[in-house]
Amino acid sequence: MLMTKVEWTRSGVPSKESIIDATAAGMVSRHDDEYHEFVTEITFERAREFLEKMIRLGHDSVLEHIVFQFWVSISRVASHQLVRHRMASYTQKSHRKERILTEEDFVIPDNLSEEDREEWIKDIRQQIAIYEKWLEKGYDADIARRKLPQETRTDLVMTINARSLRNFFKLRAEHVADFEIREMAQKMYHLIKKEQLDFLFYDIGIEN
Ligand SMILES: Cc1cc2nc3c(=O)[nH]c(=O)nc-3n(C[C@H](O)[C@H](O)[C@H](O)COP(=O)(O)OP(=O)(O)OC[C@H]3O[C@@H](n4cnc5c(N)ncnc54)[C@H](O)[C@@H]3O)c2cc1C
């Protein structure tokens, strides 16, 4: 069973034009010509070489012109860690709305033994029963949700620029990070790799 879910939003993949524009932004500082005079000469290959050089030289601010957007579905444990990354924008599913919960609404760790997994799911059913009990008593979801465990699933849309995403990968795609946010970071990276934009992270050791 997949623990975390990560997808591009419809406009989530940075366009080739935005990669070229980030390069043009980097060139503005040195070029004598105006933007529209030199931007047409920048190929994607040239942009790639230039941006890799910017990363090597530590001129990371040009990467702020490249923006990624993901839809993710993770536990409240992981979302709490995620939103500590302040240099990004988030919109998250609210648990203030009353919902009928099932096991699918919880992120169950993959690394449980078969036997323990059953026990884990039994615990989840109990948590759901407790949540429903407080709703049945007439309290609204604001009150009842306080009984939900940290493994409750939440969905969110995250918008993040390439500079901040580099910082996120450095901190969260490494083995020292919690396994769930690490899995999420690695899935993000694999989506980026499929789009051949992984050169923006060439110097970061992302596992798997
Ligand atoms: C393995 C691991 C364990 C962790 N354990 C804990 C823990 O036990 N307790 C805990 O509270 N947190 C913990 N954290 C969270 C960590 O302290 C950071 O809050 C989180 O990783 C976000 O990193 P960031 O501030 O670099 O990211 P962002 O908030 O996205 O910031 C990006 C960069 O912008 C700059 N920046 C942002 N805001 C400011 C500011 N106000 N002033 C100056 N510069 C700024 C910094 O250069 C920063 O690196 C842990 C993180 C990891 C990876």
Side-chain angles (χ1 to χ4, degrees), residues 84-87 164 167 171-172 176-177:
R84 293 297 303 279
H85 293 266
R86 294 158 288 178
M87 296 296 116
S164 187
N167 181 52
L171 293 167
R172 303 297 187 175
V176 287

Side-chain angles (χ1 to χ4, degrees), residues 4-18:
T4 60
K5 300 179 198 171
V6 182
E7 293 172 16
W8 291 115
T9 61
R10 285 178 67 170
S11 63
V13 184
S15 65
K16 285 200 168 173
E17 285 76 15
S18 76

Side-chain angles (χ1 to χ4, degrees), residues 80-88 90 160 163-165 167-168 170-178 181:
H80 183 77
Q81 294 169 335
L82 181 62
V83 300
R84 293 297 303 279
H85 293 266
R86 294 158 288 178
M87 296 296 116
Y90 308 93
I160 186 164
R163 182 184 195 177
S164 187
L165 191 54
N167 181 52
F168 176 73
K170 279 181 200 164
L171 293 167
R172 303 297 187 175
E174 302 281 347
H175 71 280
V176 287
D178 175 272
I181 198 164

